[in-house]
């Protein structure tokens, strides 16, 4: 499956939004470990442009709750391209 440049841009925005939101919520609840983990994921994503393992599922869940169907489809194409052998 081919992810277009628009798919990649959409996916990148959803990744950043998902982990930024998680860090902000953790900070609101004084959950330092989740906040630090979310920020570490963002730093690694910024450096390498990809996630690992179940972190893709975190973004999928965020997209299901916050993104319209076309953005969810773009995310799925991007994930398929990133995770295919």
């Amino acid at each position: 499956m081919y992810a277009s440049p628009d798919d990649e841009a959409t996916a990148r925005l959803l990744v950043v939004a998902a982990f930024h939101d998680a860090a902000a919520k953790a900070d609101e609840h004084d959950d330092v470990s989740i906040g630090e983990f979310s920020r570490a994921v963002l730093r690694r994503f910024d450096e390498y442009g990809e996630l690992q393992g179940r972190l893709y599922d975190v973004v999928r869940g965020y997209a299901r709750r916050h993104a319209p169907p076309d953005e969810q489809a773009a995310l799925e194409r991007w994930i398929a391209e990133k995770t295919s052998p």
Side-chain angles (χ1 to χ4, degrees), residues 40-59:
V41 168
L42 285 170
R43 284 190 300 275
R44 183 172 172 78
F45 181 72
D46 187 46
E47 185 174 343
Y48 297 104
E50 58 187 37
L51 300 172
Q52 293 184 343
R54 304 285 299 188
L55 295 176
Y56 286 107
D57 292 334
V58 171
V59 180

Side-chain angles (χ1 to χ4, degrees), residues 23-70:
K25 286 181 181 177
D27 290 345
E28 288 174 8
H29 298 287
D30 295 322
D31 190 339
V32 175
S33 61
I34 296 294
E36 287 178 2
F37 176 78
S38 297
R39 284 184 279 282
V41 168
L42 285 170
R43 284 190 300 275
R44 183 172 172 78
F45 181 72
D46 187 46
E47 185 174 343
Y48 297 104
E50 58 187 37
L51 300 172
Q52 293 184 343
R54 304 285 299 188
L55 295 176
Y56 286 107
D57 292 334
V58 171
V59 180
R60 278 186 177 112
Y62 179 87
R64 278 194 293 272
R65 290 187 306 277
H66 300 286
D70 62 319

